[in-house]
């Protein structure tokens, strides 16, 4: 599965366009991370727990994106975009979307 | 009452000393790593270079979450009242963006990429909606790394 945020792939033609595919994941942090985060809110600096949390949930959203694209028979996802929103305190939604295509 | 004031003052002093130290340390590290990764170009263009080389492409990304310290948040509250440039958040966002970009670049460099195309930034404030100050932001940088095919 080729995932790219470009719209064209060199030397390969798009033979079939399958429309938009998407994947999303909502994660909340656990209490230990929250305590560390409130300490870091006083001292400043990187919130390592949050960085990990968000990259994990991004991985999961991308897995779902891939699974959806595979289920409709695509072999590549082009023009992939990421989007983040926070739905509740401490929980973040990661949303990934792109165009599923069949490359020759 | 008096204890509360002492507590807030103590937090301000601790936040100022440690926060300033951590920020300087972070900037030193950013400058050092930017120098090391300068040879890898990062472009916002969508089009591939027409140099006749065939490339393999892969998605690379880097993310970071950074928080401001207590003292800077206090300053930002004052700025909110009087208006003007909120310098304490400017440096927060600058650090976060440069750090995310560096992580993306080092991921691309570890795969022997020669160029990163179509770079996009995505920013989210994590505490949004909780009623408190912005405080911390997450920045994601992503793009397509081009790896020259070794044929």
């Amino acid at each position: 599965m080729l995932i790219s945020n470009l719209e064209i792939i060199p030397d390969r033609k798009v033979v079939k366009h399958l429309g938009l595919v998407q994947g999303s994941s909502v994660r909340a942090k656990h209490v230990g991370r929250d305590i560390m985060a409130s300490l870091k809110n006083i001292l400043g600096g990187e919130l390592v727990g949050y960085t990990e949390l968000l990259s994990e949930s991004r991985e999961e959203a991308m897995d779902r994106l891939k699974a959806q694209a595979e289920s409709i028979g695509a072999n590549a996802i082009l023009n992939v975009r990421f989007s983040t929103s926070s739905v509740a305190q401490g929980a973040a939604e990661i949303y990934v979307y792109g165009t599923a295509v069949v490359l020759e | 009452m008096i204890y509360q004031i002492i507590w807030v003052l103590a937090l301000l002093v601790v936040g100022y000393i440690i926060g300033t130290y951590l920020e300087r340390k972070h900037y030193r590290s950013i400058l050092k790593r930017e120098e090391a990764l300068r040879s890898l170009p990062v472009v916002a263009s969508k089009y591939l270079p027409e140099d006749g080389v065939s490339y393999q492409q892969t998605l690379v990304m880097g993310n970071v979450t950074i928080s401001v310290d207590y003292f800077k948040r206090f300053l930002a509250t004052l700025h909110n009242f009087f208006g003007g440039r909120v310098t304490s958040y400017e440096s927060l966002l600058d650090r976060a963006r440069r750090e995310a970009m560096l992580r993306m670049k080092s991921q691309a460099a570890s795969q022997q990429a020669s160029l990163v195309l179509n770079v996009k930034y995505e920013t989210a404030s994590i505490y949004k909606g909780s009623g408190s100050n912005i405080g911390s932001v997450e920045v994601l940088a992503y793009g397509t790394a081009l790896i020259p095919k070794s044929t």
Side-chain angles (χ1 to χ4, degrees), chain A residues 2-11 29 34 37-38 40-48 50-52 54-55 58-59 62 79-86 88-92 94, chain B residues 11 14-15 18-19 22 45-48 54-55 57-59 61 63-71 73 95 103 117-118 120 122 124-128 130 136 138 140 142-144 146:
Chain A
L2 194 149
I3 297 183
S4 167
N5 76 340
L6 296 184
E7 288 153 23
I8 38 165
I9 303 293
D11 314 326
K29 64 213 171 346
D34 211 20
S38 40
K40 277 285 171 67
N41 272 335
I42 294 168
L43 303 180
E46 187 186 347
L47 308 171
V48 183
Y50 278 100
T51 307
E52 280 167 13
L54 288 157
S55 69
R58 211 158 266 135
E59 290 283 314
M62 278 183 71
N79 209 2
V80 169
R81 295 276 182 278
F82 288 96
S83 171
T84 322
S85 60
S86 62
Q89 185 177 7
I94 308 287
Chain B
L11 281 183
V14 168
I18 300 184
L22 286 178
S45 157
K46 282 179 188 174
Y47 303 103
L48 276 93
S54 65
Y55 291 103
Q57 45 182 279
T58 173
L59 195 71
M61 56 179 117
N63 72 324
V64 68
T65 313
I66 295 191
S67 169
V68 279
D69 55 66
Y70 195 83
F71 179 74
R73 193 165 309 153
R95 276 161 72 198
R103 288 184 185 182
L117 278 186
N118 202 9
K120 298 261 191 289
E122 166 73 32
S125 81
I126 303 193
Y127 279 102
K128 197 169 71 184
S130 70
S136 52
E138 201 244 353
L140 167 77
Y142 60 103
T144 300
L146 298 182

Side-chain angles (χ1 to χ4, degrees), chain B residues 13-63:
Chain B
V13 170
V14 168
Y16 178 73
I17 294 170
I18 300 184
T20 311
Y21 168 73
L22 286 178
E23 185 178 296
R24 285 207 184 129
K25 201 175 134 201
H26 191 199
Y27 264 124
R28 272 201 301 274
S29 137
I30 284 176
L31 288 173
K32 208 174 115 198
R33 282 178 296 155
E34 270 181 351
E35 194 58 53
L37 286 167
R38 192 144 290 160
S39 57
L40 175 65
V42 169
V43 203
S45 157
K46 282 179 188 174
Y47 303 103
L48 276 93
E50 289 173 355
D51 52 4
V53 185
S54 65
Y55 291 103
Q56 193 193 334
Q57 45 182 279
T58 173
L59 195 71
V60 284
M61 56 179 117
N63 72 324

Side-chain angles (χ1 to χ4, degrees), chain A residues 8-51:
Chain A
I8 38 165
I9 303 293
D11 314 326
R12 294 181 77 178
K13 257 166 86 179
V14 174
V15 286
K16 201 173 171 197
H17 183 122
L18 295 166
L20 204 69
V21 284
Q22 50 190 289
S24 89
S25 151
V26 182
R27 290 269 180 115
K29 64 213 171 346
H30 62 73
V31 183
R33 278 173 177 166
D34 211 20
I35 292 169
M36 272 307 287
S38 40
L39 183 66
K40 277 285 171 67
N41 272 335
I42 294 168
L43 303 180
E46 187 186 347
L47 308 171
V48 183
Y50 278 100
T51 307

